[in-house]
Amino acid sequence: MSDEDVQARLAALRVQYAERLGNDLQTLMAQARELAARQRAIEPQALETLRLGLHRIAGSAGTFGLPALGQEAREMELWVQTVLETAVAPTAPMLSALSDRLCDSYRLLTDAQTPAQAESRTGDAESAEERPVRVGVMSLDASEALEQALSGFGYACRRLAAPNEWREWQPDVAVIDTASLSAASWQACTAAVPGARRILLSADGGFDARLQAVRDGADGFFTHPVDVPTLERRLRHLINMPQQDPYRVLIVDDDTELAEHFRLTLKVAGIESRVIEHPRDVLRGLREFVPDLVLIDINMPGCSGPELARLIRFDDDWLRIPLIYLSAESDAQRQAQALAQAGDDFLVKPISDVALTAAVTARAQRSRQLSQALARDGLTGLIKHPAIKELIEIEQSRTQRSGAEACVVMIDIDRFKTINDTYGHGTGDYVIRLLANLLRQRLRRVDHIGRYGGEEFVAVLPACSLDNAREAIERIRESFAQLECVAGQAVFHATFSAGVASTLDWTDAGALLEAADRAMYDAKQGGRNQVRVARNVTPQT
Amino acid sequence: MQALHRVLHVEDDPSIQEVARIALEVVGGMQVASCDNGQAALGKAAEWQPDLILLDVMMPGIDGPTTLARLREQETTREIPVIFMTAKVQANEIEHYRSIGGLDVVIKPFDPMTLASQLREIWERMDER
């Protein structure tokens, strides 16, 4: 066999592998997401399953030409391993951070599979991930203010007028002020960017205006004067909306032919599903496949659909998953009885492919949004407070084991009370989100950022020296101070003070956090808007 | 010196199994048998008598180190050299696998074009000892 033949065979294997890896990553993401949504302690076994999955990828991806992905998997594996070894119970936010990282890996894989596409989407060598979200603004009089305010949130924002400008820049979101423009003029522009989400601004907030916006394909609707923080929240929501990975559906039906038909129908719509023929396999199916939704046939031998639904509901872990009956049952009375027992909805067979797909997509989407909302801070989307402390413990034990330095940063917005008192709480929230966004953009993917208290943030920077941490935060401090905060007609600047401490200097998580806090307090005392480093005069041995 | 010819590869990941087969058979001109778990490897090794066993460390069921211990207990497989294959987690682990009787350790991910020569090198070093 010639060298070329070998290469060809290896290339074919790579394609096969990538396909399987995609499935494996999806399963891991679903597992992490499910664990994150649990409201009670997580048994080590569940984590061990995750670790094994990651280990496998860490060991194989490089062989199949995906070294970056292998490296990512390795880091995540180490993270899970550390969690297992330190016996710190992982909290939901930690796990959703892991799930996010798995999503990134999945994107890495899909980008690797379709390099041409990825390139044309970004228009340059930058990866899709690093490119800031582009917001095009079109308005006669409000453009400048909007551009400024949204740029402050870290969006790439541009005022665009003619259709060719829109076509050239290809924004992700179009913000259109319909109050100051003729329908024909703005519609010509949105037609140039059919993929962009649409937010329409209007002078009139009445029902008819809203209905018109719906008919104009709006994804968001605001009336003048526009509340920028709310607009930004909507933007964030819209951008996060496109799904990273396909929805997952578990189909429980003893009619295997029909179930297979459903599976294929959903597959065509990009929804992954697994068929379970025997009701008694359902718990295993839930654990292994971790669906966003379960479709249950109502008439099955040995265990009826409603019985099975009740059985699933015994377990708190699956409370958030919609259970949908799928049945030829068209008698309303009996449907109501079934729903009274357990289960969330009914789909009547025969059902058209379109109706099935639509019903499943809508419910799966809700289900997933709900799980994500459970683990994160509502205002900033950052990790909630209790989880951060545990993350610090993990980094600390990692330092003790491998000697790798990690840093903890405490950040507090200066004179926050004055901002609230002067401009109102809405503006205060806006400043918090502004800083949250900035931290998210500027820190590395491996860093953890949490909201610690009202206006206080904590960042945990693994594998980072004290000097590098200080420099990174210093740069963020400078950028933040330069951002213009908009509150109605007023424009002001906010600043923060920060304290940095290293795991090399403090071996106890509480002490480390306190040290960072003290350094932050020193920064406040020293005049605010600065970064201080905590030095341990008598390093512990 | 006897050349390295017959390799038993024990690995639960089918993709890795296949790529290693190409790497050793096609690129390296060796004869390869594969098992996807430690238990099966015990039987296959006794029956097929390979020159060398390439043994994955982490497998469901009995893991690599346990498989090695069992191979050493069996009369017919006691002398067969074993090279561990592992997705390295830490440097001291490699030392550990050598200390429990592994001839050497091959790190995953491996390059399919050089895996065979890597095994041969280890094989020849063993003969020199």
Side-chain angles (χ1 to χ4, degrees):
Chain A
M1 187 182 267
S2 74
D3 204 39
E4 271 169 31
D5 291 336
V6 173
Q7 292 301 344
R9 273 179 76 174
L10 289 175
L13 273 179
R14 274 199 289 274
V15 172
Q16 264 177 29
Y17 174 82
E19 198 171 309
R20 204 201 72 195
L21 180 59
N23 290 333
D24 288 355
L25 276 172
Q26 280 170 26
T27 302
L28 289 172
M29 275 187 275
Q31 283 169 347
R33 204 167 39 232
E34 190 275 317
L35 290 177
R38 279 195 195 178
Q39 297 299 300
R40 57 176 177 76
I42 288 155
E43 61 273 26
Q45 215 177 356
L47 280 178
E48 184 60 30
T49 311
L50 264 181
R51 188 177 77 90
L52 275 175
L54 289 166
H55 180 83
R56 220 177 181 198
I57 297 171
S60 55
T63 299
F64 294 97
L66 299 162
L69 231 155
Q71 191 52 38
E72 266 295 295
R74 157 95 61 245
E75 281 173 23
M76 288 187 271
E77 181 203 352
L78 278 174
W79 186 85
V80 176
Q81 186 177 333
T82 316
V83 172
L84 278 163
E85 284 171 5
T86 46
V88 173
T91 55
M94 285 160 58
L95 288 157
S96 51
L98 181 69
S99 160
D100 288 355
R101 220 170 148 188
L102 282 161
C103 281
D104 288 345
S105 299
Y106 183 69
R107 247 177 296 166
L108 213 60
L109 174 70
T110 46
D111 284 357
Q113 282 170 312
T114 51
Q117 210 180 329
E119 203 122 327
S120 72
R121 201 159 26 116
T122 55
D124 54 33
E126 260 182 336
S127 81
E129 211 166 299
E130 281 155 27
R131 164 191 183 288
V133 173
R134 289 183 179 176
V135 182
V137 180
M138 190 179 186
S139 166
L140 271 191
D141 37 26
S143 286
E144 198 179 336
L146 278 172
E147 185 191 3
Q148 224 166 48
L150 292 174
S151 301
F153 275 105
Y155 297 100
C157 199
R158 251 189 225 183
R159 280 176 276 168
L160 304 171
N164 64 327
E165 290 176 28
W166 287 84
R167 197 173 300 114
E168 226 158 82
W169 198 51
Q170 285 291 325
D172 304 298
V173 183
V175 178
I176 310 278
D177 184 8
T178 61
S180 62
L181 301 161
S182 75
S185 67
W186 70 259
Q187 279 168 356
C189 293
T190 48
V193 285
R197 313 302 294 254
R198 238 172 255 188
I199 293 182
L200 301 186
L201 315 180
S202 162
D204 174 11
F207 181 83
D208 289 336
R210 286 169 194 268
L211 181 61
Q212 188 56 50
V214 169
R215 290 179 178 162
D216 287 336
D219 299 294
F221 178 85
F222 291 87
T223 51
H224 286 296
V226 176
D227 178 43
V228 174
T230 325
L231 174 65
E232 193 276 332
R233 185 152 42 193
R234 185 77 203 171
L235 268 176
R236 190 150 47 88
H237 183 66
L238 283 180
I239 296 149
N240 290 335
M241 285 272 276
Q243 246 185 267
Q244 309 299 355
D245 55 318
Y247 294 128
R248 303 163 73 81
V249 175
L250 193 68
I251 304 171
V252 191
D253 199 329
D254 60 319
D255 182 345
T256 45
E257 254 171 59
L258 187 63
E260 188 56 21
H261 171 76
F262 289 146
R263 195 183 69 79
L264 290 177
T265 304
L266 293 173
K267 177 96 188 157
V268 171
I271 298 168
E272 284 297 320
S273 45
R274 180 182 289 184
V275 175
I276 289 206
E277 196 183 340
H278 303 293
R280 63 177 61 253
D281 294 333
V282 80
L283 291 177
R284 194 160 49 92
L286 283 167
R287 263 197 316 277
E288 284 175 7
F289 186 66
V290 202
D292 294 301
L293 176 144
V294 186
L295 286 176
I296 304 174
D297 182 26
I298 205 149
N299 292 311
M300 290 180 292
C303 171
S304 76
E307 282 172 336
L308 187 64
R310 283 184 65 185
L311 186 152
I312 293 172
R313 287 287 187 245
F314 282 153
D315 204 336
D316 284 354
D317 293 342
W318 312 117
L319 276 180
R320 67 183 172 85
I321 296 183
L323 307 176
I324 312 291
Y325 296 119
L326 197 51
S327 156
E329 199 61 70
S330 57
D331 176 49
Q333 183 73 32
R334 288 180 62 186
Q335 285 188 9
Q337 276 171 2
L339 288 180
Q341 291 199 44
D344 301 289
D345 211 345
F346 241 99
L347 295 177
V348 178
K349 292 190 273 194
I351 182 168
S352 74
D353 294 353
V354 179
L356 175 74
T357 308
V360 164
T361 306
R363 288 168 180 83
Q365 189 179 11
R366 289 291 300 158
S367 154
R368 194 170 288 186
Q369 280 171 349
L370 197 63
S371 343
Q372 282 166 353
L374 281 171
R376 290 186 175 263
D377 177 55
L379 182 63
T380 60
L382 297 179
I383 301 170
K384 283 181 190 161
H385 164 208
I388 267 287
K389 248 189 144 147
E390 272 134 13
L391 283 172
I392 294 173
E393 279 173 28
I394 285 170
E395 285 311 322
Q396 214 147 23
S397 62
R398 183 139 69 173
T399 300
Q400 276 161 25
R401 218 180 43 184
S402 65
E405 182 173 18
C407 285
V408 169
V409 188
M410 194 73 119
I411 298 170
D412 190 274
I413 299 175
D414 295 328
R415 303 190 195 279
F416 186 70
K417 190 172 175 302
T418 314
I419 296 175
N420 267 340
D421 292 348
T422 314
Y423 306 104
H425 288 276
T427 302
D429 285 354
Y430 153 74
V431 173
I432 286 174
R433 277 213 301 277
L434 212 56
L435 180 54
N437 276 357
L438 192 65
L439 289 170
R440 239 198 307 258
Q441 280 165 23
R442 292 295 184 79
L443 292 174
R444 303 164 303 171
R445 258 192 309 173
V446 293
D447 299 330
H448 310 282
I449 317 161
R451 187 166 170 217
Y452 200 63
E455 70 275 23
E456 233 179 349
F457 295 81
V458 180
V460 183
L461 319 179
C464 182
S465 73
L466 200 54
D467 280 344
N468 286 342
R470 191 189 49 74
E471 271 170 36
I473 301 300
E474 187 63 41
R475 278 195 300 272
I476 295 174
R477 184 195 61 74
E478 281 168 16
S479 309
F480 185 63
Q482 281 165 12
L483 285 184
E484 292 197 328
C485 305
V486 185
Q489 299 299 313
V491 174
F492 65 96
H493 293 266
T495 58
F496 69 73
S497 304
V500 188
S502 158
T503 51
L504 287 184
D505 293 333
W506 280 271
T507 51
D508 169 74
L512 179 64
L513 205 51
E514 263 172 43
D517 198 38
R518 263 198 314 277
M520 191 265 288
Y521 186 72
D522 286 347
K524 293 261 182 200
Q525 293 295 304
R528 300 186 175 85
N529 192 20
Q530 51 191 277
V531 181
R532 290 281 174 97
V533 170
R535 303 269 178 207
N536 196 349
V537 258
T538 51
Q540 297 176 14
T541 47
Chain B
M1 182 174 68
Q2 184 207 345
L4 175 57
H5 192 55
R6 290 150 69 87
V7 176
L8 174 62
H9 183 212
V10 191
E11 162 71 57
D12 63 306
D13 186 332
S15 316
I16 293 287
Q17 236 185 55
E18 201 165 340
V19 82
R21 183 181 282 278
I22 293 178
L24 299 179
E25 269 183 0
V26 183
V27 182
M30 301 173 185
Q31 230 181 345
V32 177
S34 311
C35 292
D36 63 4
N37 67 77
Q39 192 61 45
L42 294 175
K44 186 72 192 175
E47 170 216 320
W48 195 55
Q49 290 293 315
D51 300 329
L52 176 79
I53 299 173
L54 185 56
L55 182 59
D56 187 34
V57 168
M58 201 186 284
M59 292 179 292
I62 59 171
D63 65 1
T66 314
T67 307
L68 174 62
R70 303 251 173 100
L71 285 166
R72 294 293 176 259
E73 285 164 13
Q74 286 188 158
E75 188 62 43
T76 47
T77 55
R78 182 166 295 158
E79 302 293 328
I80 305 175
V82 166
I83 294 179
F84 279 116
M85 195 181 243
T86 177
K88 185 188 79 156
V89 177
Q90 267 155 8
N92 57 10
E93 271 177 51
I94 294 179
E95 259 329 294
H96 171 70
Y97 298 133
R98 287 195 185 122
S99 75
I100 60 173
L103 189 55
D104 208 331
V105 180
V106 171
I107 305 292
K108 281 191 199 174
F110 59 86
D111 177 358
M113 300 312 286
T114 60
L115 180 67
S117 55
Q118 207 182 339
L119 294 192
R120 285 213 166 91
E121 257 172 51
I122 299 172
W123 179 256
E124 280 155 21
R125 268 210 313 274
M126 171 188 77
D127 255 29
E128 285 162 14
R129 266 184 235 157

